[in-house]
Amino acid sequence: MVDDNGVVEMGMGDDMDRLLTWHNGERAFSPFSDAEMDRRQAELRAHMQLHDIDASLFTSYHNICYYSGFMYCAFGRNYGFVVTNDNATTISAGIDGGQPWRMTHGDNITYTDWRKDNFLHAVKHLTPGVKRLGIEFDEVSLDLRDQLEIALPGVEFVDIGQATMWMRTIKSAEEITHIRTLTRIADLGGQACADAIGAGVPEHEVALASTGAMVREIANSFPFVELMDTWTWFQSGINTDGAHNPVTNKKIESGDILSLNCFPMVFGYYVALERTLFCDTVSDEHLRLWNVNVEVHERGLELIKPGARCADIAAELNDIYRSYDLLKHRSFGYGHSFGVLCHYYGREAGVELREDIKTELQPGMVVSMEPMIMIPEGQPGAGGYREHDILVVGHDGAENITGFPYGPEHNIIPSS
């Protein structure tokens, strides 16, 4: 069958150079119920109706995943999710087969590689009569914006990125359950990391042990799960000076400062466990600095509660560092929101524990506390110090759901 827009069933006819319907197999398992996904889409549609937006086109990893359940792999191709008052449809490339449809809460349409404008043709096919189209101003490139204006003449583009970011900051009960599961898995990765530490062991071997433990536990924790992006950053010595420094083949030395960073990521949701450790021994100055950072961390955990402003939390923690003349060694903010976000896409920027963010924490938000200082190489106590816990903000306070211990009492690791 071929409709008026050239959409054909898989393997039928000569019009397959544009759009296909590849509904292959059965719908895949999701950790989120149909009711939960309907809730997300209904909240989006309510915003669209309030602001006279006829349809929304999402192109970001995070919003496509959040509203549809499908996490794409771009590899140089465009992906999208079109939501109207009546329909919700992911747009995927033919290279993915039927997997996008199996993961989508809604419909799916596939475009081929055989004409360079087929993605735009799919967008046009899904937005007939649309006058005001929501797109993500913080994600759409200038090139894609130009292409959309040519493909959709007369359509007004309005921003949907900021509004959806605020929607994502408040987690549902099902999201919090999922985040708890991932945080438990991060704790297991942390223990595998600690167990692998020893003088002479390369960083990458520690990271492999941690990642392997998390991947296996993820596989055991769900009836079906994609295993795309779970990873570990493990750093030693000078490599600890940056929070996101890559794993290397540097070998751990006795007395090294170490950074453990475990990141299970499942169905687009990311959590983190980060700890300062030492191999075998710790110098007096390293120990002093480590204890200061733990003091800041523990005070930060106390400050996270409903009604607290991000900027005020940052200001009070700055005062502690300042009292030890260490504020100049602080390298980034004190924490951030968690949910559908990752190191290569997305960030709920309105909920960051920084001096310039005035947002009040609300029940349902999930945030980290992760103070870090970095002492330059050549100075006593050189290295990067960071602890990281995840907290769920409730109506009366906040619950710390991270279980792996922190501080000198637990994380001076003897070589086996």
Side-chain angles (χ1 to χ4, degrees), residues 194-236:
D195 291 344
I197 289 170
V201 179
E203 291 178 0
H204 70 275
E205 291 294 342
V206 178
L208 285 170
S210 172
T211 302
M214 291 190 290
V215 167
R216 291 186 182 97
E217 184 59 26
I218 291 167
N220 290 331
S221 297
F222 299 91
F224 172 82
V225 62
E226 44 77 13
L227 295 164
M228 289 178 63
D229 294 307
T230 294
W231 81 105
T232 300
W233 284 325
F234 176 79
Q235 301 113 356
S236 63

Side-chain angles (χ1 to χ4, degrees), residues 72-130:
Y72 67 83
C73 174
F75 228 118
R77 295 174 172 85
N78 292 111
Y79 286 76
F81 185 52
V82 174
V83 179
T84 67
N85 285 331
D86 303 312
N87 298 297
T89 308
T90 49
I91 304 170
S92 59
I95 195 169
D96 296 314
Q99 191 260 354
W101 176 78
R102 293 193 295 272
M103 299 300 297
T104 294
H105 184 75
D107 204 354
N108 169 264
I109 195 167
T110 298
Y111 71 93
T112 74
D113 285 348
W114 304 340
R115 290 176 58 171
K116 68 178 181 179
D117 61 345
N118 279 352
F119 171 77
L120 299 168
H121 182 71
V123 173
K124 188 173 183 179
H125 166 68
L126 295 171
T127 57
V130 166

Side-chain angles (χ1 to χ4, degrees), residues 149 176 253 366 370 379:
E149 289 178 345
I176 291 173
E253 298 179 26
V366 179
E370 49 177 309
Q379 295 187 20

Side-chain angles (χ1 to χ4, degrees), residues 18 21-22 30 54 64 72 77 110 113 286 308 386 393:
R18 305 229 72 172
T21 302
W22 279 9
S30 168
D54 302 313
I64 291 177
Y72 67 83
R77 295 174 172 85
T110 298
D113 285 348
H286 279 106
R386 184 170 70 263
V393 181

Side-chain angles (χ1 to χ4, degrees), residues 375-392:
I375 310 301
E377 194 73 1
Q379 295 187 20
Y385 303 76
R386 184 170 70 263
E387 313 296 344
H388 180 298
D389 290 10
I390 294 178
L391 297 95
V392 177

Side-chain angles (χ1 to χ4, degrees), residues 242-263:
H244 300 158
N245 289 352
V247 175
T248 76
N249 61 349
K250 176 185 176 298
K251 291 183 178 180
I252 300 170
E253 298 179 26
S254 184
D256 263 353
I257 187 171
L258 311 171
S259 285
L260 173 161
N261 309 267
C262 299
F263 307 113

